[in-house]
Amino acid sequence: MSPFRISWKNIWSKPLNAVLNILLVAFGTAILTVLLLASTQIEDKLTKNSKDIDLVVGAKGSPLQLILSSIYYIDFPTGNIPMNEAKKLMRNPFVKRAVPLALGDNYNGVRIVGTDSNYISLYGLKLQQGKFWQADMEATIGAAVANEQQLKVGDTFFGGHGLTEMNDQHKDHAYKVVGILSPQQNVTDNLILTGIGSVWKMHGDEGHDEEAQNHDEDREYTSLLIQYRSPMAVAMFPMMVNQTTNMQAASPAQESTRLFSLIGVGVDTLQWFAVLIMLVAAISVFVNLYNSLKERRYDLAIMRTLGASKAKLFSLIILEGLILTMIGAIVGVALGHGILQLVSSYQESSQAKMNGLLFIKEELYLLGAGLLIGVLAAIIPAIQAYRSNIAKILAEN
């Protein structure tokens, strides 16, 4: 009989203990898997979506809220800013590129973003079908939007006021899909992009020429995405905006770090809780193997007399620990993916949605941790089996 079959038969001689040990390891591994996948995806989203954006300028309020609404589209804007004032900043010598945004509408929960052609170059957008928006009420949609909303080039749809619900639809103006973006693996996959004039028209401004002077004093942007021209701008430009205007400047790098540090407090707490569970699992496996060893001393002695070496007995005990913890680790990783996928199905914001079907290489470390726990839990019982006095055990029985 193979060592694996011997070990498996012994483990399952007490099914309740075996199941308990497996569940403990699985529970701890599942928590660590969820935390690992969620933190990795959040950090990846924060990095990808804010790439090449040095500063966000918007209405006074929470800097973090400004960043979340203008880059990640998962919060409400802090307000609007006068277009005249915004354009002065856009022409500032410290500014290499300034991308205006006009927010406030959605289609079935998908954000409609009014902007200009600078947004295309900022994110390096490419087309899968059709063209980029040009005239008012033309829209270029993200790949995920096209798939989830079943929209194609040539289709029309009505936007709704607000950022999440379609209670107040603008039935007087229909958007026409003129293009679909190639998958970008960033926030733009879940956006509807259009000209700023379209957003103004939706809210009662029928002027078509964005540069028309008689409309400038009334028109507003939601925010500006800024790229610096020189390193000196890092120190000078935000201070100038915050101190000399009625607008605020927020750094995506600083606010993203702050956000991740806030999330990290909860993540660290849960990680220590999961490690504690894994420690309890290791102790449980150790106790199970130790008690099993005491009950099988005679059987192991007989195996020695039949030709089994000390090394074989040692490896059998180690194998039992590995089987228990490895099954638990595999079940835990699978359970972690399932939990995250279930949670993501209830997330309303497409921008913040997690993917439970994503596998990352760091998960191999969790499986490795399962193996290590198995070895550590089994090492003392295995050493005792190795050092057993065969003659004494046989004489006692």
Side-chain angles (χ1 to χ4, degrees):
M1 186 178 292
S2 71
F4 179 83
R5 290 184 64 185
I6 294 173
S7 297
W8 180 250
K9 183 178 179 181
N10 175 63
I11 289 170
W12 213 247
S13 64
K14 293 186 177 180
L16 186 60
N17 288 343
V19 170
L20 177 61
N21 291 329
I22 289 172
L23 287 178
L24 281 171
V25 176
F27 187 42
T29 307
I31 294 175
L32 290 172
T33 300
V34 170
L35 294 177
L36 178 63
L37 290 174
S39 60
T40 299
Q41 291 183 53
I42 291 172
E43 189 171 10
D44 186 59
K45 286 176 182 288
L46 292 177
T47 302
K48 281 185 177 180
N49 295 331
S50 62
K51 183 183 178 183
D52 297 328
I53 301 173
D54 298 315
L55 198 73
V56 179
V57 175
K60 296 283 189 183
S62 165
L64 180 58
Q65 183 181 347
L66 178 59
I67 296 298
L68 291 177
S69 63
S70 297
I71 296 182
Y72 307 114
Y73 305 95
I74 53 177
D75 203 347
F76 293 91
T78 54
N80 292 324
I81 56 177
M83 189 179 77
N84 279 337
E85 296 298 317
K87 284 191 171 181
K88 291 178 183 177
L89 293 181
M90 295 169 72
R91 293 190 290 266
N92 190 284
F94 285 128
V95 176
K96 176 183 177 182
R97 176 187 287 136
V99 182
L101 299 181
L103 309 175
D105 292 329
N106 78 98
Y107 173 66
N108 290 337
V110 179
R111 298 286 180 98
I112 297 175
V113 179
T115 186
D116 62 17
S117 58
N118 282 309
Y119 196 91
I120 299 171
S121 55
L122 178 67
Y123 281 97
L125 302 182
K126 297 180 180 179
L127 289 166
Q128 180 175 296
Q129 297 177 35
K131 64 177 184 177
F132 290 109
W133 71 96
Q134 293 177 345
D136 286 352
M137 307 315 296
E138 290 185 344
T140 303
I141 64 178
V145 178
N147 182 52
E148 294 171 6
Q149 303 296 331
Q150 297 296 298
L151 291 172
K152 59 184 183 298
V153 174
D155 287 350
T156 59
F157 64 90
F158 295 102
H161 186 63
L163 301 176
T164 56
E165 298 180 355
M166 289 286 289
N167 293 333
D168 183 18
Q169 292 190 44
H170 301 291
K171 290 294 184 72
D172 294 334
H173 302 289
Y175 283 102
K176 181 179 180 180
V177 178
V178 296
I180 299 174
L181 298 174
S182 299
Q184 306 293 316
Q185 305 304 317
N186 60 27
V187 70
T188 60
D189 289 340
N190 295 290
L191 295 179
I192 294 172
L193 302 176
T194 186
I196 291 181
S198 302
V199 177
W200 286 337
K201 180 180 289 188
M202 291 272 283
H203 294 86
D205 185 346
E206 296 296 331
H208 294 273
D209 183 5
E210 185 182 334
E211 299 299 327
Q213 294 299 316
N214 60 325
H215 286 284
D216 279 4
E217 64 275 9
D218 299 322
R219 288 175 169 171
E220 295 178 320
Y221 294 146
T222 301
S223 57
L224 299 175
L225 307 180
I226 303 290
Q227 275 187 336
Y228 292 143
R229 186 178 299 278
S230 66
M232 187 182 299
V234 177
M236 303 293 292
F237 191 74
M239 183 172 63
M240 183 268 292
V241 172
N242 289 326
Q243 293 182 359
T244 65
T245 74
N246 289 324
M247 295 172 278
Q248 72 164 328
S251 165
Q254 291 179 2
E255 297 304 321
S256 297
T257 301
R258 178 167 160 252
L259 174 62
F260 204 74
S261 66
L262 292 174
I263 296 172
V265 174
V267 169
D268 290 343
T269 302
L270 288 173
Q271 281 179 339
W272 281 112
F273 177 64
V275 169
L276 179 62
I277 293 173
M278 298 287 272
L279 180 60
V280 172
I283 294 172
S284 178
V285 172
F286 164 74
V287 171
N288 186 39
L289 293 177
Y290 187 80
N291 290 335
S292 174
L293 178 64
K294 289 194 296 184
E295 295 171 3
R296 289 189 298 151
R297 291 172 71 238
Y298 183 72
D299 293 338
L300 293 174
I302 293 297
M303 289 177 65
R304 284 291 311 280
T305 61
L306 294 176
S309 65
K310 288 184 176 183
K312 184 171 184 179
L313 297 186
F314 181 90
S315 63
L316 281 175
I317 304 300
I318 294 293
L319 184 58
E320 289 174 16
L322 289 176
I323 291 172
L324 280 171
T325 54
M326 198 59 193
I327 292 176
I330 292 172
V331 170
V333 168
L335 185 61
H337 281 273
I339 291 172
L340 193 63
Q341 187 64 19
L342 180 64
V343 170
S344 70
S345 66
Y346 289 98
Q347 288 180 292
E348 294 184 0
S349 173
S350 56
Q351 305 297 359
K353 185 169 288 188
M354 298 289 103
N355 181 11
L357 302 180
L358 176 70
F359 291 84
I360 57 179
K361 62 182 181 180
E362 285 79 5
E363 292 178 69
L364 295 176
Y365 298 135
L366 295 180
L367 297 178
L371 291 175
L372 181 61
I373 289 172
V375 172
L376 293 176
I379 192 70
I380 294 178
I383 291 173
Q384 287 192 330
Y386 184 87
R387 292 177 175 178
S388 296
N389 188 325
I390 303 303
K392 184 178 178 180
I393 293 173
L394 291 175
E396 290 175 351
N397 288 272

